[in-house]
Amino acid sequence: MRINLTSVFVDDQLKALAFYTDVLGFRQKNKVAVGEDWWLTVVSPEDPEGTELLLEPDGHPAVKPYKAALVEDGIPAAAFAVDDVAAEFERLRGLGVYFTQEPLQMDDVTVAVLDDTCGNLIQIMHTA
């Protein structure tokens, strides 16, 4: 068994696509019209056949309170692996990304948390 697809709920799919591709560096994999929304996925350029991230519309009534509660408590909706959190933090901050947590080393794990501009906190992390 392996994880093939996971998702984050976003308030605006096209804004999310721009952030996840232009800023974070993912590549669009699928964009299929589904009613008023899209089946919209991105993948890592390092693993284009790997796990897809679905940028899922947050229109269901349960989603917005769920997302707000996570953000209020500082809980990331997803975590992405990077080679060097400090370097990625500087690169993304230079692009105007807002971080709610600067790089923090805990034993052999370093993490930072950013705002994806679509209602989610996203953790980046690496292990030593």
Side-chain angles (χ1 to χ4, degrees), residues 68-127:
L70 290 179
V71 170
E72 184 174 322
D73 288 347
I75 300 171
F80 303 141
V82 298
D83 292 333
D84 181 335
V85 167
E88 196 65 16
F89 170 80
E90 291 300 332
R91 183 187 78 81
L92 292 172
R93 192 167 65 173
L95 293 173
V97 173
Y98 172 69
F99 279 81
T100 62
Q101 179 185 307
E102 295 192 2
L104 174 66
Q105 184 173 349
M106 299 174 290
D107 293 325
D108 63 344
V109 177
T110 303
V111 299
V113 179
L114 62 92
D115 179 339
D116 78 349
T117 73
C118 302
N120 301 294
L121 299 178
I122 301 295
Q123 184 176 64
I124 58 173
M125 60 185 299
H126 79 253
T127 55

Side-chain angles (χ1 to χ4, degrees), residues 46-75:
E46 299 166 8
D47 190 12
E49 299 306 316
T51 305
E52 294 179 48
L53 178 66
L54 174 64
L55 304 175
E56 189 161 3
D58 68 359
H60 188 280
V63 174
K64 288 183 181 170
Y66 166 75
K67 286 175 56 182
L70 290 179
V71 170
E72 184 174 322
D73 288 347
I75 300 171

Side-chain angles (χ1 to χ4, degrees), residues 7 12-13 21 27 29-30 35 40 49 64 82 99 107:
S7 64
D12 181 322
Q13 287 187 291
T21 57
R27 290 191 183 149
K29 174 104 181 202
N30 292 295
L40 183 56
E49 299 306 316
K64 288 183 181 170
V82 298
F99 279 81
D107 293 325

